[in-house]
Amino acid sequence: MATDVDVQYFSHLNGLTLGNNWGDLIRLLDKTLVTGIDFTQITAASIDAQGDVHITLYAAHNAMLFQVVELTGFAPASFNQKYRIKGVPSATELILKPQTAIVETNITTVGAGKLASLGYEIIFRDQNDVKRVYRAKNPRSEHPFIRVDESLTSPDGTTGVYTSTYAKYAMVGLLEQMEHIDDFENPNVLQLPFDPGDPAKNWKITGTGTSVVRGWSKLFWACSYNNGDSPSNASSPSAGNRAFTLCGDLDAFYLITTQTAAQNKKKVYGVGLFESTTPSEVVPNWFLMTTVSDAFNFGWNIPGYFPLMYNANVSQFFCPRYTPAEFLSAHVVANPIIPNFGTGTGRYDGLSASFLQIPFSDNQGKLRGTLKHLGYNCNSHDSQSNARPVLAHTSMYVRETVNMVNGGTGDGSVYLYLGELE
């Protein structure tokens, strides 16, 4: 079998920044989803007897075990492919396991390398560079358009104004079809979240000051409060960069991040496709993990505020409604089917990695499917507060800290499955 190279992950440990600035989230998504991170010059390269490629870089790579590397411009051409990082001997050296075995034993031309992106492209961007629409490259019909909007004002600049010193969040949602960056008012196009009576609800900005309503589905990355506190959007966010892990592939990705500079206070955001019990032509197999509320300030104990954690209410997320006779229906709440709300608190401990897939139902009583990549951690959480690569036999994982598990007893962790290292 070939080594899996489809699921990639990134971390602030790679030198990426998610700070207390407007635009930070979109810049991060551009790099991780679309472009990847270029290495400095490769000064030496060779292949060993096991078929692993060794490269030496001019400067520190900041790369991590099991990340995906893409090499280009090499000769022979068989070296131009994707690899898993198998070893990190030093800050300037990497050992790479190729996806496809390489027959040649000599490198005649040394090319360039980078940490590969997740494989998306920017379909639309606005003139002010505060909006994006992303979609998977070479998409299948079920792949949604992913719209991310950091706008602070309504189009006229006056009827809706969000103060720039308030909490920082992007308005995020999925659409089945788009013709331009602001194409979200068509009542015949399904969205997530979706209000059939007001298709533009997720993207409106109305009012000013603490009476402003800015969007509906919110991805916070800079706030003045920790995840377990009731938010106050009018308070200025705390300074400093946020700890995070972003992981996924063309089908789905997750951003596990803090909202303050406290590195262990992470929560899960996610977007994309899930493994569905129903064909996507019947109902789209989309999911969305964001905070969905049209209130300026809201109590933290609302559906979707803490996906997979704390209690049955806040652990929920969102997906389209199963209504074959009425495709354009309001979204529903999804309920994860997990042993408890203490992922990473040792429910079934003892193995090097106890990864449990997460099926879910909806609040209409229907079993909907299983989340991709993200899993419940049956092991006990360790003290490490940042992304930790884990190898269990040939299975590759990243273990990441999350906050407010199991009724608020403290830190836990989730697993992200990367594939097999063959």
Side-chain angles (χ1 to χ4, degrees):
M1 291 179 62
T3 290
D4 292 327
V5 294
D6 292 331
V7 181
Q8 172 70 303
Y9 79 97
F10 290 92
S11 166
H12 63 281
L13 300 174
N14 294 128
L16 294 169
T17 299
L18 181 61
N20 181 21
N21 303 290
W22 289 105
D24 278 1
L25 179 64
I26 280 179
R27 306 296 169 261
L28 177 66
L29 295 178
D30 284 355
K31 289 181 180 179
T32 56
L33 300 185
V34 181
T35 64
I37 305 175
D38 290 330
F39 288 147
T40 58
Q41 179 187 2
I42 298 176
T43 57
S46 62
I47 186 168
D48 64 23
Q50 287 75 44
D52 297 331
V53 174
H54 297 239
I55 62 172
T56 302
L57 299 157
Y58 177 75
H61 47 67
N62 293 322
M64 300 173 67
L65 200 63
F66 305 144
Q67 287 186 302
V68 179
V69 168
E70 185 175 3
L71 299 183
T72 57
F74 277 71
S78 58
F79 286 85
N80 297 321
Q81 60 171 295
K82 290 183 177 180
Y83 302 75
R84 282 287 178 188
I85 297 178
K86 183 180 176 180
V88 186
S90 74
T92 57
E93 297 174 286
L94 293 171
I95 302 173
L96 309 177
K97 177 74 173 178
Q99 179 188 26
T100 303
I102 300 171
V103 177
E104 292 84 359
T105 58
N106 293 307
I107 297 173
T108 57
T109 301
V110 175
K114 69 176 182 178
L115 290 178
S117 74
L118 271 65
Y120 290 73
E121 55 187 341
I122 299 172
I123 305 299
F124 303 113
R125 65 196 305 166
D126 72 304
Q127 185 176 355
N128 295 324
D129 208 30
V130 296
K131 307 174 193 175
R132 294 285 190 277
V133 173
Y134 303 98
R135 200 182 188 204
K137 287 183 179 179
N138 303 313
R140 302 187 304 273
S141 60
E142 64 263 36
H143 281 119
F145 291 76
I146 305 168
R147 190 175 188 273
V148 180
D149 189 343
E150 293 187 29
S151 300
L152 297 183
T153 67
S154 56
D156 63 9
T158 58
T159 56
V161 179
Y162 185 85
T163 304
S164 63
T165 58
Y166 287 174
K168 294 177 173 65
Y169 66 86
M171 299 174 280
V172 178
L174 308 182
L175 299 96
E176 64 171 331
Q177 182 59 47
M178 296 189 74
E179 299 296 332
H180 57 83
I181 187 73
D182 291 327
D183 185 14
F184 48 71
E185 297 192 47
N186 187 342
N188 297 314
V189 172
L190 186 66
Q191 300 187 45
L192 183 66
F194 188 51
D195 180 348
D198 187 3
K201 182 174 181 177
N202 194 38
W203 316 106
K204 288 181 178 178
I205 304 174
T206 59
T208 61
T210 57
S211 296
V212 69
V213 175
R214 179 173 176 265
W216 193 19
S217 166
K218 303 170 173 65
L219 195 164
F220 289 88
W221 79 88
C223 305
S224 63
Y225 54 87
N226 288 330
N227 290 332
D229 301 329
S230 296
S232 175
N233 285 350
S235 300
S236 297
S238 57
N241 293 332
R242 276 56 181 159
F244 72 88
T245 294
L246 187 146
C247 179
D249 65 0
L250 293 173
D251 287 343
F253 65 88
Y254 303 88
L255 176 62
I256 304 174
T257 185
T258 62
Q259 297 174 149
T260 71
Q263 291 201 359
N264 65 326
K265 303 295 184 181
K266 298 187 184 78
K267 65 185 291 185
V268 180
Y269 293 103
V271 60
L273 305 181
F274 61 88
E275 298 288 354
S276 180
T277 59
T278 307
S280 60
E281 308 86 64
V282 177
V283 56
N285 54 327
W286 304 345
F287 78 94
L288 182 66
M289 292 179 179
T290 55
T291 299
V292 175
S293 173
D294 57 5
F296 180 74
N297 285 327
F298 47 86
W300 67 268
N301 195 17
I302 63 172
Y305 187 67
F306 245 96
L308 312 180
M309 291 168 271
Y310 192 75
N311 65 32
N313 194 43
V314 301
S315 70
Q316 298 168 324
F317 49 100
F318 308 97
C319 64
R321 184 183 299 267
Y322 178 78
T323 51
E326 190 178 353
F327 186 75
L328 296 166
S329 299
H331 67 272
V332 292
V333 173
N335 303 290
I337 302 171
I338 48 181
N340 59 22
F341 303 105
T343 174
T345 55
R347 179 75 177 198
Y348 306 109
D349 220 341
L351 301 175
S352 56
S354 292
F355 172 94
L356 187 64
Q357 286 189 301
I358 301 174
F360 63 93
S361 62
D362 64 27
N363 60 357
Q364 307 298 301
K366 295 178 173 61
L367 182 66
R368 299 301 300 274
T370 304
L371 293 173
K372 294 173 178 280
H373 317 317
L374 181 69
Y376 178 99
N377 176 14
C378 298
N379 294 116
S380 296
H381 175 62
D382 57 30
S383 59
Q384 185 165 326
S385 61
N386 292 315
R388 175 183 174 183
V390 176
L391 184 66
H393 303 290
T394 61
S395 298
M396 297 175 288
Y397 301 93
V398 173
R399 183 187 296 176
E400 178 57 289
T401 299
V402 291
N403 183 233
M404 288 292 292
V405 300
N406 208 29
T409 56
D411 294 341
S413 53
V414 294
Y415 275 122
L416 295 154
Y417 175 62
L418 304 177
E420 300 299 305
L421 185 70
E422 298 295 342

